[in-house]
Amino acid sequence: MIEIYKNKNCFNKNEKRKKMNSSLLPFSNYFELKKESLKKEFAQFLAFQTISAHKESLSACKQCALWLQKKLFDMGFASSLWGDSFPPIVFGQWEGDPTLPTLLIYNHYDVQPVDPLEKWNSDPFIATMEGDKIIAR
């Protein structure tokens, strides 16, 4: 839900926040219902040792790219790997209603080296919970 306010003083911040929160309610409910399975999937993603500075990580980067491509496909996106770059470029596109605005999301899945390893409290490629935070690479 997108609302345009012509007069920025017509609502106070709390009222705007309530409107935004209520429009996100379906997403919030979905994530609450799926929280444990989403955490498990996220832990699988974090386990890929995609250290792009290490050429020996090419296999892990390729496996992670394929994993991401399948996740996009499973969500209804057309997905593909582009070129022979390192790490591989994962592209996903959902062709919905052409009258709606386009949303572009860019992210990367490769990580920096985890050294010095002794500064980590646990294996950096095994997701661990610290309070309500997931800690990993």
Side-chain angles (χ1 to χ4, degrees):
M1 177 172 85
I2 298 174
E3 293 190 36
I4 299 171
Y5 299 105
K6 293 183 180 179
N7 178 351
K8 67 180 183 178
N9 297 320
C10 67
F11 293 102
N12 68 36
K13 287 182 183 178
N14 287 335
E15 289 178 45
K16 284 183 184 178
R17 190 171 291 122
K18 284 179 190 174
K19 280 189 171 285
M20 288 190 326
N21 287 344
S22 67
S23 67
L24 295 175
L25 194 56
F27 297 106
S28 178
N29 290 342
Y30 174 83
F31 287 111
E32 190 59 37
L33 287 171
K34 301 281 188 179
K35 184 176 9 181
E36 292 310 312
S37 65
L38 290 170
K39 278 188 202 177
K40 186 177 177 181
E41 269 188 36
F42 193 44
Q44 290 172 343
F45 172 65
L46 295 172
F48 287 102
Q49 297 186 22
T50 57
I51 304 170
S52 61
H54 298 164
K55 295 301 176 197
E56 59 272 13
S57 294
L58 178 59
S59 176
C61 287
K62 179 74 172 190
Q63 291 304 310
C64 185
L66 290 168
W67 187 86
L68 289 167
Q69 180 187 16
K70 182 176 181 331
K71 290 293 173 197
L72 287 168
F73 180 80
D74 290 347
M75 290 188 295
F77 287 74
S79 59
S80 58
L81 300 184
W82 283 2
D84 295 324
S85 64
F86 177 74
I89 296 169
V90 181
F91 178 79
Q93 181 176 359
W94 180 72
E95 294 183 5
D97 185 343
T99 64
L100 294 175
T102 298
L103 171 66
L104 173 67
I105 299 172
Y106 168 81
N107 203 349
H108 65 93
Y109 60 92
D110 61 321
V111 297
Q112 294 297 310
V114 295
D115 300 325
L117 202 53
E118 63 273 3
K119 292 202 174 193
W120 285 84
N121 294 331
S122 60
D123 184 323
F125 293 99
I126 297 176
T128 57
M129 294 297 296
E130 289 185 16
D132 62 348
K133 295 179 182 167
I134 300 172
I135 307 296
R137 65 178 179 108

